[in-house]
Every structure is written in C-alpha cells, then in structure tokens.
Amino acid sequence: MSAPTPPRPSSIFLALLATVTYIACVISAWGLISYFLDRSPIENPDAGTLIGPVMVFTAAVVTFFNLRALKTMRSPVGRAAVAIATTYLAMVVVVFIGASIVVAEVAAGPFLITAALLSGVTVVAVWRYEHPKRPPWRDPREDPGD
C-alpha cells in the first residue's frame, strides 16, 4: 500500500514561499550579471544606495500579488505576461521616483529585464505546482479514444 499524499500548502503560503524564492533568484541573477558584465545595477553614485533594494522589494510585492491572482487561471500564460509587464513597470516607476537621472540607463539594462522575466517564470512554476495533472488533450496516455 502506498503512503498517502501529503496535503498541499495553502495558496497564500505557497505564494509567500515563491516570492521569497523569487527574491533570492533576482539577487543571485543580478550578482551573476554584475560579475560577468562587470557592471553595477545602478552605476551612477548620485542615485543613492537604496534604489536597488527598493526595486527588488517592489518587484517581489508585484510578483506576490500576481501569484495570488493565479489560483483560478486555466493557463499561466496570460498571468505570466501580466507579471512580466507589471514587474518591469513597477521597477521603472521606483527608479523614476527615486533617481530620475538614471531611468534611461536602468530601464534599458539587463537587470530589470531579468527581474521581470524571473517574475514570469515564478508565476508559471507556481501554476504548474498547483495544477499537477496535465490536461487530457496534451497527454496521449489519458486519451480514451485509443
């Protein structure tokens, strides 16, 4: 006899864990990009030291709310696109408010794009975890016609 399947975590707990994982992924990705490109996320010293952490915090909040809205979706594609767009726009707004002198260089750089894409990946990964069974039209083993 097989062991019973453990219960899945509640959706708010899952969204919180995924958001914390998202923050860790953004920090590590920015570190790797910074290392390999020999470039800082905010290169202008007049911008201040808190712009980067506030950008990551804002992106995490946006990702968390996108994950909370994911529960009833049939497909993650639309919500992932919304997560990418809103994360990118939220981070640009933070840079515009906090240090408007560097908006153009930060918005076009690889750091914001990476954080936005990681937000979309997080949304897809959580949706995939919450919907483990594949639809029958995608899995040939569950096709009753054969």
Side-chain angles (χ1 to χ4, degrees):
M1 179 159 37
S2 64
T5 305
R8 295 208 178 257
S10 68
S11 82
I12 193 162
F13 183 66
L14 183 61
L16 186 64
L17 287 175
T19 303
V20 170
T21 304
Y22 167 75
I23 292 171
C25 288
V26 168
I27 291 170
S28 63
W30 281 13
L32 289 172
I33 291 171
S34 180
Y35 178 75
F36 287 119
L37 295 181
D38 195 25
R39 184 175 165 190
S40 176
I42 309 291
E43 291 182 358
N44 192 336
D46 295 335
T49 58
L50 292 178
I51 294 297
V54 172
M55 285 172 24
V56 174
F57 176 76
T58 304
V61 169
V62 169
T63 301
F64 176 78
F65 285 118
N66 277 303
L67 290 172
R68 291 294 294 147
L70 186 65
K71 186 89 174 148
T72 59
M73 303 291 282
R74 284 190 61 179
S75 171
V77 176
R79 182 52 64 179
V82 168
I84 291 169
T86 54
T87 300
Y88 184 81
L89 289 175
M91 293 175 81
V92 168
V93 167
V94 166
V95 172
F96 182 75
I97 292 171
S100 58
I101 56 175
V102 294
V103 170
E105 93 181 34
V106 172
F111 297 99
L112 263 65
I113 295 168
T114 302
L117 291 176
L118 283 174
S119 180
V121 168
T122 303
V123 167
V124 170
V126 169
W127 183 87
R128 189 70 185 125
Y129 179 78
E130 287 182 340
H131 299 83
K133 185 176 179 186
R134 296 180 71 187
W137 59 87
R138 299 268 179 133
D139 194 353
R141 294 174 289 163
E142 295 180 8
D143 190 12
D146 288 338

